[in-house]
Amino acid sequence: GEQLGIRSIIFPEPQFYQVTALTTVQAWRLDKQQLMNYMLSRPQDFLAVKDRTNALYSTFLERPPICVLKNCSPQMEQLPEEVIERFYDAMQPRMLEPRAVVAHEGEPVSCLWFLTHGSCADPLETALAGSVLGLDHVEEGRSCWQYAVVTMERTDCWVLPLADMASVLRSFKKPKTETGRNMISLQKQLKLVLDALPPCTTGAQR
């Protein structure tokens, strides 16, 4: 009942592994060109299949270590461990095919994107695995993406909705210390960005 090569037949991706039969195997082979001809005649169905496949494969992604979140900026490093852990729990996996649009120019910024595999690019630079997309916008108070961002290859990432970050920060008391002032500063930055969002975009994008 197993299927092999699903991603490489649907997406413009190479086969990432070699499969060797250990016993006699009976299988049915579906030619990629034959499938593409059929799918391109039904574009809406094709898009639905791509979305379902990406959603399925994203459930198998390994969660990155929590230090990826904690060490992504000096401001995050100063947050209490309990806050970082709550942020970490709110992260959601995403798998994107090559040339997928992560963000459109002028689109509201509603999430941070932590890349764990692959790469993305805008007109000025390329972001590799280990990069965090959207963080600079939050820190600078920019509520919309300055440029369109597109994947250059199959890209795995973990998405942290800004609305979830704001909700976590609201639930904690702010001590009258440098840590508390840092929490208040981040909460204000998030509010500035989130206040510019339409009501339907406060969750994870795509």
Side-chain angles (χ1 to χ4, degrees):
E2 297 288 342
Q3 299 171 334
L4 302 174
I6 296 176
R7 290 199 62 86
S8 60
I9 198 173
I10 295 176
F11 301 111
E13 301 176 5
Q15 185 78 316
F16 290 100
Y17 48 82
Q18 177 176 312
V19 179
T20 302
L22 301 179
T23 61
T24 301
V25 175
Q26 180 178 338
W28 290 86
R29 180 179 180 274
L30 178 60
D31 181 73
K32 181 170 185 173
Q33 189 59 54
Q34 196 173 17
L35 177 65
M36 286 297 102
N37 290 341
Y38 173 76
M39 286 294 192
L40 291 175
S41 69
R42 305 168 64 96
Q44 293 305 315
D45 290 344
F46 186 32
L47 291 175
V49 168
K50 291 170 68 175
D51 288 343
R52 286 199 302 268
T53 302
N54 278 329
L56 172 64
Y57 275 78
S58 69
T59 62
F60 301 117
L61 292 181
E62 183 178 354
R63 185 177 283 268
I66 195 169
C67 63
V68 168
L69 176 58
K70 183 174 179 60
N71 299 334
C72 69
S73 75
Q75 190 173 36
M76 297 287 270
E77 288 178 351
Q78 297 176 35
L79 293 176
E81 291 293 336
E82 297 87 349
V83 172
I84 292 295
E85 289 171 1
R86 292 275 299 279
F87 286 174
Y88 188 67
D89 290 340
M91 295 173 71
Q92 305 165 13
R94 292 285 188 278
M95 181 177 287
L96 304 173
E97 70 268 20
R99 297 191 294 278
V101 177
V102 176
H104 294 276
E105 181 179 350
E107 184 178 55
V109 178
S110 64
C111 308
L112 301 183
W113 296 75
F114 293 79
L115 305 189
T116 56
H117 170 85
S119 58
C120 302
D122 64 27
L124 298 182
E125 60 183 345
T126 298
L128 305 176
S131 301
V132 184
L133 305 180
L135 182 61
D136 56 337
H137 289 65
V138 173
E139 292 177 339
E140 297 169 12
R142 288 184 278 133
S143 59
C144 295
W145 291 95
Q146 190 172 5
Y147 303 104
V149 182
V150 180
T151 59
M152 305 300 291
E153 56 191 306
R154 195 205 86 202
T155 301
D156 304 338
C157 51
W158 286 77
V159 177
L160 178 57
L162 302 187
D164 288 351
M165 295 176 68
S167 177
V168 168
L169 287 170
R170 285 195 300 269
S171 69
F172 280 85
K173 291 184 177 180
K174 316 301 188 297
K176 295 181 179 180
T177 62
E178 186 62 33
T179 296
R181 287 190 288 272
N182 182 54
M183 293 171 67
I184 292 172
S185 175
L186 178 57
Q187 190 170 336
K188 288 180 177 178
Q189 290 172 339
L190 291 168
K191 185 177 187 304
L192 182 64
V193 175
L194 289 170
D195 282 352
L197 291 178
C200 61
T201 58
T202 53
Q205 290 172 307
R206 270 177 288 285

